[in-house]
Coordinates of all heavy atoms in Angstrom, one line a residue:
E39 N 335.9 34.3 140.1 CA 335.1 33.2 140.6 C 333.6 33.3 140.0 O 333.1 34.2 139.5 CB 334.8 33.6 142.2 CG 336.0 33.7 143.0 CD 335.7 34.5 144.3 OE1 335.4 33.7 145.3 OE2 336.0 35.7 144.4
E40 N 333.0 32.0 140.0 CA 331.7 31.9 139.3 C 330.7 32.6 140.2 O 330.6 32.4 141.4 CB 331.4 30.3 139.1 CG 332.4 29.7 138.3 CD 332.3 28.1 138.3 OE1 331.1 27.7 138.6 OE2 333.0 27.4 138.0
G41 N 329.8 33.3 139.5 CA 328.7 33.9 140.2 C 329.0 35.1 140.9 O 330.2 35.6 140.9
N42 N 328.0 35.6 141.8 CA 328.3 36.7 142.6 C 328.9 36.4 144.0 O 328.3 35.7 144.7 CB 327.0 37.5 142.8 CG 327.1 38.8 143.5 OD1 328.0 39.1 144.2 ND2 326.1 39.7 143.3
Q43 N 330.1 36.7 144.2 CA 330.9 36.4 145.4 C 331.4 37.7 146.0 O 332.4 37.7 146.8 CB 332.2 35.5 145.0 CG 331.7 34.2 144.3 CD 331.3 33.3 145.1 OE1 331.2 33.3 146.4 NE2 330.5 32.3 144.5
L44 N 330.6 38.8 146.0 CA 331.1 40.0 146.5 C 331.2 40.0 148.1 O 331.9 40.9 148.6 CB 330.1 41.2 146.1 CG 330.1 41.5 144.6 CD1 329.1 42.7 144.4 CD2 331.4 42.0 144.2
D45 N 330.4 39.1 148.7 CA 330.4 39.1 150.1 C 331.5 38.3 150.7 O 331.6 38.3 151.9 CB 329.0 38.5 150.6 CG 328.8 37.1 150.1 OD1 329.3 36.7 149.1 OD2 328.1 36.3 150.7
K46 N 332.4 37.8 149.9 CA 333.5 37.1 150.3 C 334.8 37.7 150.0 O 335.5 37.4 149.0 CB 333.4 35.5 149.9 CG 332.3 34.8 150.3 CD 332.2 33.4 149.6 CE 331.0 32.8 149.9 NZ 330.8 31.4 149.3
H47 N 335.2 38.9 150.7 CA 336.2 39.6 150.3 C 337.0 39.9 151.7 O 336.6 40.7 152.6 CB 335.7 41.0 149.8 CG 336.7 41.9 149.1 ND1 336.7 43.0 148.9 CD2 338.1 41.6 148.7 CE1 337.6 43.6 148.4 NE2 338.6 42.7 148.3
Y48 N 338.2 39.3 151.9 CA 338.9 39.3 153.1 C 340.3 39.7 152.9 O 341.0 39.5 151.8 CB 338.8 38.0 153.9 CG 337.4 37.6 154.0 CD1 336.9 36.5 153.2 CD2 336.4 38.2 154.9 CE1 335.6 36.0 153.4 CE2 335.2 37.7 155.1 CZ 334.8 36.7 154.3 OH 333.5 36.3 154.3
G49 N 341.0 40.3 154.0 CA 342.5 40.5 154.0 C 343.0 40.3 155.3 O 342.3 40.0 156.3
L50 N 344.3 40.3 155.4 CA 345.0 40.1 156.6 C 345.8 41.4 157.1 O 346.6 42.0 156.2 CB 346.0 38.9 156.6 CG 345.3 37.7 156.2 CD1 346.4 36.6 156.0 CD2 344.3 37.2 157.3
A51 N 345.8 41.8 158.3 CA 346.8 42.8 158.9 C 347.7 42.0 159.8 O 347.1 41.3 160.7 CB 346.1 43.8 159.7
I52 N 349.0 42.0 159.7 CA 350.0 41.2 160.3 C 350.9 42.1 160.9 O 351.6 43.0 160.3 CB 350.6 40.2 159.3 CG1 349.5 39.4 158.7 CG2 351.7 39.4 159.9 CD1 350.0 38.4 157.5
D53 N 351.5 41.7 162.2 CA 352.6 42.2 162.8 C 353.5 41.0 163.1 O 353.1 40.1 163.9 CB 352.2 42.8 164.1 CG 353.4 43.3 164.9 OD1 354.5 43.8 164.4 OD2 353.5 43.1 166.2
I54 N 354.7 41.2 162.5 CA 355.7 40.0 162.8 C 356.7 40.6 163.8 O 357.5 41.3 163.5 CB 356.3 39.6 161.5 CG1 355.5 39.0 160.5 CG2 357.5 38.5 161.8 CD1 356.0 38.6 159.1
G55 N 356.5 40.2 165.0 CA 357.5 40.6 166.0 C 358.6 39.6 166.2 O 358.4 38.4 165.8
T56 N 359.7 39.9 166.9 CA 360.7 39.0 167.0 C 360.3 37.9 168.0 O 360.8 36.8 167.7 CB 362.0 39.9 167.8 OG1 362.1 40.9 166.9 CG2 363.2 38.9 167.8
T57 N 359.4 38.2 169.0 CA 359.0 37.3 169.9 C 357.6 36.7 169.5 O 357.3 35.5 169.5 CB 359.0 37.7 171.3 OG1 360.3 38.2 171.6 CG2 358.5 36.7 172.3
T58 N 356.7 37.7 169.2 CA 355.2 37.3 169.0 C 354.7 37.8 167.6 O 355.2 38.8 167.1 CB 354.4 37.9 170.0 OG1 354.9 37.5 171.4 CG2 352.9 37.6 169.9
V59 N 353.9 37.0 167.0 CA 353.2 37.3 165.7 C 351.8 37.4 165.9 O 351.1 36.6 166.5 CB 353.5 36.2 164.7 CG1 352.8 36.6 163.4 CG2 355.0 35.9 164.4
V60 N 351.2 38.5 165.4 CA 349.8 38.8 165.5 C 349.1 38.9 164.1 O 349.7 39.5 163.3 CB 349.4 40.1 166.4 CG1 348.0 40.4 166.4 CG2 350.1 40.0 167.6
V61 N 348.0 38.3 163.9 CA 347.3 38.3 162.6 C 345.8 38.7 162.9 O 345.1 38.0 163.7 CB 347.4 37.0 161.9 CG1 346.7 37.1 160.6 CG2 348.9 36.6 161.7
Y62 N 345.4 39.7 162.1 CA 344.0 40.1 162.1 C 343.3 39.7 160.8 O 344.0 39.8 159.7 CB 343.6 41.6 162.1 CG 344.0 42.3 163.4 CD1 344.4 41.7 164.6 CD2 343.8 43.7 163.5 CE1 344.8 42.5 165.7 CE2 344.1 44.4 164.7 CZ 344.5 43.8 165.7 OH 344.8 44.5 166.8
L63 N 342.2 39.2 161.0 CA 341.4 38.7 159.7 C 340.4 39.9 159.5 O 339.6 40.2 160.4 CB 340.6 37.4 159.9 CG 339.7 37.0 158.7 CD1 340.5 36.9 157.3 CD2 338.9 35.8 159.0
V64 N 340.3 40.5 158.4 CA 339.7 41.8 158.1 C 338.7 41.6 157.0 O 339.1 41.2 155.9 CB 340.5 43.0 157.9 CG1 339.7 44.3 157.8 CG2 341.5 43.0 159.0
D65 N 337.4 42.1 157.2 CA 336.4 42.1 156.1 C 336.7 43.3 155.3 O 336.6 44.6 155.9 CB 335.0 42.1 156.6 CG 334.0 42.1 155.7 OD1 334.0 42.8 154.7 OD2 332.8 41.5 155.9
L66 N 337.2 43.2 154.2 CA 337.6 44.4 153.3 C 336.3 45.3 152.9 O 336.6 46.4 152.4 CB 338.3 43.9 152.2 CG 339.7 43.3 152.4 CD1 340.5 43.0 151.2 CD2 340.6 44.0 153.3
A67 N 335.2 44.7 152.9 CA 334.0 45.6 152.6 C 333.6 46.5 153.7 O 333.3 47.7 153.5 CB 332.8 44.6 152.2
S68 N 333.5 45.9 155.1 CA 333.1 46.7 156.1 C 334.1 47.2 156.9 O 333.9 48.2 157.7 CB 332.2 45.8 157.0 OG 332.9 44.8 157.6
G69 N 335.3 46.7 156.9 CA 336.4 47.1 157.7 C 336.5 46.5 159.1 O 337.3 46.6 159.8
D70 N 335.5 45.6 159.2 CA 335.4 44.9 160.6 C 336.6 44.0 160.8 O 337.1 43.1 159.7 CB 334.1 44.2 160.7 CG 332.9 45.1 160.8 OD1 333.1 46.3 161.2 OD2 331.8 44.6 160.5
I71 N 337.0 43.8 162.0 CA 338.1 42.7 162.3 C 337.2 41.5 162.8 O 336.5 41.6 163.7 CB 338.9 43.2 163.5 CG1 339.7 44.5 163.1 CG2 339.9 42.1 164.0 CD1 340.6 45.0 164.3
L72 N 337.4 40.4 161.9 CA 336.5 39.2 162.2 C 337.2 38.3 163.1 O 336.5 37.4 163.8 CB 336.3 38.6 160.8 CG 335.6 39.4 159.8 CD1 335.4 38.7 158.5 CD2 334.2 39.9 160.1
G73 N 338.5 38.4 163.2 CA 339.2 37.5 164.2 C 340.6 37.9 164.4 O 341.2 38.6 163.5
V74 N 341.2 37.3 165.4 CA 342.6 37.8 165.8 C 343.3 36.4 166.3 O 342.6 35.7 167.1 CB 342.6 38.8 167.0 CG1 344.1 39.2 167.1 CG2 341.8 40.1 166.5
E75 N 344.4 36.2 165.9 CA 345.2 35.1 166.4 C 346.6 35.6 166.6 O 347.1 36.4 166.0 CB 345.1 33.9 165.4 CG 343.9 33.1 165.4 CD 343.9 32.2 166.6 OE1 344.8 32.1 167.5 OE2 343.0 31.3 166.6
S76 N 347.3 34.9 167.6 CA 348.6 35.2 168.0 C 349.3 34.1 168.4 O 348.7 33.1 169.0 CB 348.6 36.3 169.0 OG 349.9 36.6 169.4
D77 N 350.7 34.0 168.2 CA 351.5 32.9 168.7 C 353.0 33.4 168.8 O 353.3 34.4 168.2 CB 351.4 31.6 167.9 CG 351.6 30.4 168.7 OD1 352.1 30.5 169.9 OD2 351.4 29.3 168.2
Y78 N 353.8 32.6 169.5 CA 355.1 32.9 169.5 C 355.8 32.7 167.9 O 355.2 31.9 167.3 CB 355.9 32.0 170.4 CG 355.8 32.2 171.8 CD1 355.2 31.4 172.7 CD2 356.4 33.4 172.3 CE1 355.0 31.8 174.0 CE2 356.4 33.7 173.6 CZ 355.7 33.0 174.5 OH 355.6 33.2 175.9
N79 N 356.7 33.4 167.7 CA 357.4 33.5 166.4 C 358.3 32.1 166.5 O 359.2 32.1 167.4 CB 358.2 34.6 166.1 CG 359.0 34.6 164.8 OD1 359.2 33.6 164.2 ND2 359.3 35.9 164.3
Q80 N 358.0 31.1 165.6 CA 358.7 29.9 165.7 C 360.2 30.0 165.5 O 361.0 29.1 165.8 CB 358.2 28.9 164.6 CG 356.8 28.4 164.9 CD 356.3 27.5 163.8 OE1 357.2 26.8 163.1 NE2 355.0 27.4 163.6
Q81 N 360.7 31.2 165.1 CA 362.1 31.5 165.0 C 362.8 31.5 166.3 O 364.0 31.4 166.4 CB 362.4 32.8 164.3 CG 361.9 32.8 162.8 CD 362.2 34.1 162.1 OE1 362.4 35.2 162.9 NE2 362.0 34.3 160.9
V82 N 362.1 31.7 167.5 CA 362.6 31.9 168.8 C 363.6 30.6 169.2 O 364.5 30.8 170.0 CB 361.7 32.0 169.8 CG1 360.8 33.3 169.7 CG2 360.6 30.8 170.0
I83 N 363.3 29.5 168.6 CA 364.2 28.3 168.8 C 365.7 28.4 168.3 O 366.5 27.8 168.8 CB 363.6 26.9 168.3 CG1 363.5 27.0 166.8 CG2 362.3 26.7 168.9 CD1 363.1 25.7 166.2

């Protein structure tokens, strides 16, 4: 990336369940969980 972008460093922790999927957005510098989302696994249909 152009310039200093050290503060924009993120990753995902994901659990794919048969019924439910959970995703964490994680700051890879601090280790903080910045957000959590979940929904039914669309495969259930």
Side-chain angles (χ1 to χ4, degrees):
E39 302 166 84
E40 298 175 23
N42 189 333
Q43 305 287 342
L44 293 177
D45 60 337
K46 297 173 182 176
H47 191 199
Y48 309 106
L50 301 173
I52 298 171
D53 169 44
I54 299 178
T56 309
T57 305
T58 305
V59 178
V60 179
V61 182
Y62 288 4
L63 175 64
V64 181
D65 186 319
L66 296 184
S68 67
D70 293 339
I71 299 172
L72 303 180
V74 183
E75 280 285 3
S76 174
D77 205 354
Y78 282 112
N79 186 333
Q80 290 180 24
Q81 294 174 347
V82 295
I83 63 173

